[in-house]
Amino acid sequence: MEITQQCVVALTWTLKDTLGVELDVLDEPVELLVGGGDLLKKVEDELQGHQAGDVLDLHLEPEEAFGDFNDQLIFLEARGLFPEVLEEGMSFDGNALPEGISPEVPRHGLYIVSEIYPEHVVLDGNHPLAGMALRLKLTVAGVREATEDEIGRGTTGTSFFNVSSSAPDGDYLH
């Protein structure tokens, strides 16, 4: 079966930066919906017409992947608003940010604690790979028709490349 819109692909991948440093490796296939919200548009476009066993080597510019770094998504908030146990790298869903956070912080998306100071915490709403060009080697492990439920939801529900919107352009992925 060839990959078309509204089908499910099982993929494995190796994700590297442009210097060849491995950022993520997935050896066990994960199923993703083509034509929903599971895949980056460039990845979806490149998969069209391929079938199980095919291997694709893709180069993704930041605007095709996790977006450009946006300094408007960096927020300085009072340390006292956060739990006592707090570490750099911890993440907060925008809807679960502590009470008292500045109203300028959008409540959608994911925020990473990037720095902790005695009086302040720096929240970063950019994807950790924002601003990076990437190399993605995909292996198509399988292709099947999507169920009506998957099509209705727009996802298989197991997405790594799930498109949500923290970034203004809607290309924040997690």
Side-chain angles (χ1 to χ4, degrees):
M1 177 176 176
E2 280 191 1
I3 297 171
T4 60
Q5 291 294 311
Q6 307 300 306
C7 75
V8 173
V9 294
L11 300 173
T12 61
W13 61 74
T14 300
L15 180 66
K16 297 180 181 181
D17 66 14
T18 54
L19 298 175
V21 175
E22 280 188 0
L23 303 172
D24 187 55
V25 176
L26 181 69
D27 293 323
E28 292 297 318
V30 65
E31 288 191 330
L32 304 161
L33 178 66
V34 177
D38 286 350
L39 292 163
L40 297 166
K41 182 175 179 354
K42 169 124 184 193
V43 172
E44 214 171 75
D45 291 347
E46 294 291 332
L47 283 169
Q48 298 296 312
H50 286 278
Q51 55 193 349
D54 288 354
V55 177
L56 290 83
D57 285 306
L58 305 177
H59 177 85
L60 303 171
E61 289 298 324
E63 61 273 8
E64 298 168 321
F66 299 97
D68 289 319
F69 184 84
N70 181 348
D71 61 2
Q72 298 297 307
L73 293 174
I74 304 293
F75 300 95
L76 189 64
E77 298 295 326
R79 172 65 180 95
L81 297 173
F82 292 86
E84 189 173 320
V85 177
L86 188 68
E87 297 177 10
E88 288 183 12
M90 289 179 74
S91 62
F92 289 87
D93 183 274
N95 293 317
L97 287 169
E99 290 288 323
I101 292 290
S102 170
E104 288 84 38
V105 179
R107 295 303 191 252
H108 61 278
L110 188 67
Y111 294 90
I112 305 295
V113 175
S114 61
E115 296 178 77
I116 302 171
Y117 297 98
E119 299 295 320
H120 296 91
V121 171
V122 178
L123 295 177
D124 186 348
N126 288 287
H127 187 280
L129 300 178
M132 294 179 67
L134 302 168
R135 299 191 188 281
L136 180 63
K137 181 176 184 174
L138 292 171
T139 301
V140 180
V143 183
R144 67 172 174 81
E145 291 185 24
T147 66
E148 285 185 30
D149 185 47
E150 289 166 333
I151 293 169
R153 286 189 326 232
T155 180
T156 60
T158 59
S159 173
F160 172 80
F161 289 117
N162 191 12
V163 180
S164 64
S165 58
S166 172
D169 59 3
D171 284 339
Y172 183 93
L173 305 154
H174 49 173

